C-alpha cells in the first residue's frame, strides 16, 4: 500500500515561520498559528516542522501501524523546500522499514524539465536503501529490472498546454535512471482497456491513477488490467477544502469512517 506524504511545513523552534500552516500571508493576513491553522483538522503533533526528527519518527511509526509500505513524497522540484526535506525522510523511513517514492507536483513543472527531474531524483536519492524500486514491465519499458517509482500529479496540465509526455519519458528508457512513471490523468479515459491504451500510446507512461477518486461527478472507478500498464486504485477518508483554498467549497463527509470503508471495498472488489 502506498500513501501520499506532504513535507511542506516549517514551524518553531527550527524556524520563525509557519510555512504552509499560515496560508502564506503571515499571522493576521489569513491564519494565525499555532492555534489557527490552514488545515481542516488540527494535527496531533500540533503545527510541526517536516524536517524534525521528532516529527518524522512518529509519522513513520504510524505508517507502519497502518500497514503502509511506501510513502509517496510531494516534491516541488530541484532545490525546493520539499527537496531539502528528502534526506531526513529517507533516513527516518529506513529506520522503520518504510520505502519512499515521489510525486512531481505542478509548481514550475514542464515536460521539457521532466527528464532532468527524473534523472535528478534517481541520481540524488536512488542509492538510498529506502528508495522504492519496483519490477513492473510495461508496453514501453519491457525490462524486468526494478525501477524507482514517480507519480505525476495532474499530468493533464501539460497536455492542455500542448506539451507531450512521450518524448520525455522515452528519453530515460534503458538508462541507469529508468523510472516507472505513473500519471494522474483524465478520469473518463481510465474506465476501459481501450481508454487506458489510448492514454498509454499518447504518453508512453507505465501506469495511471486518479488523485481525485471519489470527488463529485467522477463516477465509479473501474480497473482495466493488462501486463502493458499498471493501474492503481485510490482511497481517501473524505475531503474538506474550506480552509485549504480561498473560497473552497468541496466537502466530502467522512461519515465517521464509513466513506473510507466504502472506497476500500470498491477498490478491493475491483482487484486493481
Amino acid at each position: 500500500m502506498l500513501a501520499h506524504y506532504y513535507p511542506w511545513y516549517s514551524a518553531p523552534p527550527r524556524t520563525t515561520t509557519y510555512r504552509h500552516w499560515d496560508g502564506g500571508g503571515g499571522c493576521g493576513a489569513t491564519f494565525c498559528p499555532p492555534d489557527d491553522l490552514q488545515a481542516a483538522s488540527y494535527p496531533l503533533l500540533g503545527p510541526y516542522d517536516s524536517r524534525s526528527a521528532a516529527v518524522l519518527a512518529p509519522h513513520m511509526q504510524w505508517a507502519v501501524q497502518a500497514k503502509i509500505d511506501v510513502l509517496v513524497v510531494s516534491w516541488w522540484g530541484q532545490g525546493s523546500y520539499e527537496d531539502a526535506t528528502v534526506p531526513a525522510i529517507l533516513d527516518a523511513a529506513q529506520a522503520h522499514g518504510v520505502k519512499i517514492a515521489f510525486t512531481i507536483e505542478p509548481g514550475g513543472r514542464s515536460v521539457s524539465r521532466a527528464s532532468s527531474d527524473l534523472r535528478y531524483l534517481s541520481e540524488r536519492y536512488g542509492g538510498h536503501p529506502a528508495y522504492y524500486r519496483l519490477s513492473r514491465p510495461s508496453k514501453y519499458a519491457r525490462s524486468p529490472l526494478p525501477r524507482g517509482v514517480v507519480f505525476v500529479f495532474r499530468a493533464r496540465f501539460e497536455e492542455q498546454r500542448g506539451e507531450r509526455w512521450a518524448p520525455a519519458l522515452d528519453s530515460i528508457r534503458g538508462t541507469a535512471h529508468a523510472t516507472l512513471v505513473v500519471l494522474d490523468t483524465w478520469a473518463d479515459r481510465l474506465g476501459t482497456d481501450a481508454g487506458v491504451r489510448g492514454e498509454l500510446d499518447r504518453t508512453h507512461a507505465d501506469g495511471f491513477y486518479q488523485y481525485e477518486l471519489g470527488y463529485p461527478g467522477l463516477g465509479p472507478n473501474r480497473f482495466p488490467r493488462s501486463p502493458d500498464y499498471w493501474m492503481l486504485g485510490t482511497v481517501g477518508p473524505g475531503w474538506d477544502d474550506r480552509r485549504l483554498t480561498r473560497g473552497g467549497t468541496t466537502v466530502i463527509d467522512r461519515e465517521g469512517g464509513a466513506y473510507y470503508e466504502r472506497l476500500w471495498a470498491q477498490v478491493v472488489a475491483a482487484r486493481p
Side-chain angles (χ1 to χ4, degrees):
M1 183 167 65
L2 297 81
H4 290 291
Y5 186 72
Y6 299 92
W8 296 346
Y9 305 98
S10 71
R14 288 187 63 100
T15 179
T16 59
T17 63
Y18 284 94
R19 186 181 189 275
H20 223 86
W21 295 117
D22 66 2
C27 186
T30 48
F31 303 92
C32 193
D35 298 320
D36 181 28
L37 307 181
Q38 187 190 33
S41 303
Y42 199 85
L44 185 62
L45 298 177
Y48 56 79
D49 192 299
S50 296
R51 301 162 295 178
S52 170
V55 169
L56 291 170
H59 281 185
M60 297 303 163
Q61 291 167 3
W62 295 334
V64 171
Q65 291 171 7
K67 309 299 183 185
I68 293 168
D69 304 295
V70 182
L71 290 176
V72 183
V73 172
S74 172
W75 187 78
W76 289 80
Q78 302 174 37
S80 65
Y81 180 89
E82 292 76 16
D83 189 35
T85 69
V86 172
I89 292 172
L90 285 166
D91 289 345
Q94 180 188 4
H96 292 83
V98 177
K99 297 296 184 181
I100 297 297
F102 297 92
T103 292
I104 299 180
E105 302 281 8
R109 188 184 71 197
S110 67
V111 169
S112 62
R113 283 183 48 185
S115 59
S116 172
D117 285 341
L118 292 170
R119 290 175 188 273
Y120 174 88
L121 289 170
S122 173
E123 287 178 347
R124 187 166 178 81
Y125 304 121
H128 197 285
Y131 183 81
Y132 180 52
R133 295 183 185 274
L134 178 68
S135 176
R136 180 62 167 86
S138 64
K139 181 176 180 179
Y140 292 98
R142 291 299 189 187
S143 172
L145 294 176
R147 295 176 283 160
V149 177
V150 172
F151 294 77
V152 181
F153 175 63
R154 291 185 178 169
R156 58 187 181 270
F157 286 175
E158 279 71 19
E159 280 198 359
Q160 291 170 324
R161 296 197 298 262
E163 301 178 46
R164 294 293 176 262
W165 284 100
L169 301 188
D170 288 344
S171 72
I172 61 167
R173 304 294 189 206
T175 73
H177 308 300
T179 303
L180 197 158
V181 179
V182 185
L183 302 184
D184 170 27
T185 188
W186 305 96
D188 60 359
R189 299 177 184 176
L190 301 182
T192 66
D193 179 69
V196 174
R197 289 185 182 279
E199 287 294 278
L200 185 69
D201 291 335
R202 180 168 47 256
T203 65
H204 294 191
D206 298 285
F208 303 96
Y209 77 111
Q210 294 177 17
Y211 183 87
E212 295 174 337
L213 173 63
Y215 276 38
L218 284 185
N221 195 28
R222 294 162 291 175
F223 292 94
R225 53 183 61 84
S226 166
D228 287 340
Y229 53 80
W230 188 30
M231 288 287 291
L232 288 86
T234 307
V235 300
W239 183 263
D240 185 347
D241 69 5
R242 289 173 295 182
R243 291 178 63 85
L244 300 182
T245 59
R246 291 177 175 83
T249 59
T250 302
V251 178
I252 300 176
D253 195 334
R254 292 174 177 246
E255 302 172 25
Y259 178 80
Y260 191 49
E261 293 291 341
R262 285 201 305 275
L263 288 188
W264 267 114
Q266 290 172 12
V267 169
V268 170
R271 297 181 295 110

